Amino acid sequence: MSELYIVGTPIGNLGDITFRALETFKAVDVVAAEDTRHTMELLTHFEIRKPMISCRAQNEAVAAQKLIQLLDEGKTVAYASDAGEPGISDPGAVLAGLVRAAGHKVVPIPGPSACTTLASVAGAGGKTLIFEGFLSPKPGRRRKRLAELMATEAAVILYESPFRITKLLADIADIDSNRRVVVGRELTKLHEEITEGTAQEVLEDYASRTKILGEFAVFISGNKNAKLSSEDSDN
């Protein structure tokens, strides 16, 4: 039984690569990647050379069969998405499921994630955190799902692009202008920025910017009223 290693890679700062990730890349026979060019740059930086196979969202199921064949032949494979943990708003989940179903071992090699990176500095209490990833780009669907998430007592983390971040913040503020929000832009990168305030304050900040660049993770605090209502119903 051969092994597939699901390897977390840096979300921006190459210094966040783990020793275990590097040792895994060095040891395996083949590296599969969401974008072979991107992962090749990472491997080249650390002077690692391996045969590579593309396994992106558009061909994941087909590529998985090729990788399973390699595993059947006794080869070991490492998989990396473009950044962060595969399977977390990235390809990898389908691959892991198919490989396990084929009888091979799937081994996690933990690494950075924008979700946990933002959660670690958001300064939020509570036991429950909902990670939703990217909401629908369609305004109606986005707002409907956002309203559902914000009605719960759980904190929420979303991902968003620079093209829709202001629209997302406007929806949050429209639902609850006083809700506490923390926005992480370009986390771990050279121009990392963390903005905190009420939904209205953070919206006004971003709405005033002439140019918005980068990748975003957005933390929304839980609805305290939902918790109070739950406690009342238990009495």
Side-chain angles (χ1 to χ4, degrees):
M1 180 173 65
S2 295
E3 296 175 328
L4 167 69
Y5 297 90
I6 303 295
V7 185
T9 55
I11 58 177
N13 190 320
L14 290 180
D16 291 334
I17 192 78
T18 68
F19 288 116
R20 192 177 175 207
L22 291 177
E23 290 303 313
T24 299
F25 283 133
K26 291 175 183 177
V28 297
D29 298 303
V30 176
V31 173
E34 178 183 3
D35 185 331
T36 55
R37 295 167 299 179
H38 183 92
T39 302
M40 178 68 78
E41 289 179 4
L42 174 67
L43 297 181
T44 299
H45 178 84
F46 291 104
E47 299 181 344
I48 300 171
R49 292 176 176 80
K50 293 288 177 177
M52 301 193 72
I53 293 178
S54 171
C55 182
R56 58 192 191 279
Q58 295 82 355
N59 76 338
E60 190 171 357
V62 174
Q65 298 307 317
K66 296 179 182 178
L67 295 173
I68 289 170
Q69 183 175 350
L70 291 174
L71 293 166
D72 289 341
E73 295 170 0
K75 291 183 168 48
T76 53
V77 179
Y79 179 73
S81 56
D82 286 353
E85 291 283 356
I88 310 297
S89 282
D90 272 343
V94 171
L95 172 64
L98 290 173
V99 166
R100 186 176 287 107
H104 295 287
K105 189 174 181 180
V106 180
V107 181
I109 307 296
S113 166
C115 174
T116 54
T117 298
L118 183 60
S120 72
V121 298
K127 298 180 180 179
T128 307
L129 173 66
I130 298 173
F131 172 67
E132 184 76 6
F134 287 92
L135 294 177
S136 172
K138 296 183 178 180
R141 291 184 182 178
R142 180 180 66 239
R143 183 181 171 82
K144 181 178 183 294
R145 181 55 180 155
L146 188 58
E148 292 172 348
L149 293 168
M150 290 179 63
T152 72
E153 63 181 275
V156 178
I157 288 184
L158 306 171
Y159 288 166
E160 193 50 275
S161 74
F163 310 107
R164 292 192 296 270
I165 184 64
T166 303
K167 294 177 182 177
L168 173 63
L169 292 172
D171 284 341
I172 296 170
D174 192 43
I175 293 169
D176 185 349
S177 61
N178 290 315
R179 189 70 64 91
R180 180 172 174 272
V181 172
V182 183
V183 175
R185 185 180 72 85
E186 293 289 84
L187 290 173
T188 79
K189 300 178 184 179
L190 181 62
H191 300 292
E192 175 183 88
E193 178 185 15
I194 296 174
T195 306
E196 176 186 3
T198 66
Q200 187 62 38
E201 290 169 343
V202 176
L203 169 61
E204 290 173 359
D205 180 337
Y206 272 87
S208 68
R209 304 186 185 197
T210 55
K211 191 173 185 180
I212 299 177
L213 300 173
E215 298 176 347
F216 293 85
V218 180
F219 174 94
I220 308 170
S221 63
N223 184 348
K224 295 179 180 178
N225 292 329
K227 184 176 182 179
L228 290 174
S229 297
S230 177
E231 291 174 349
D232 290 340
S233 64
D234 291 338
N235 293 329

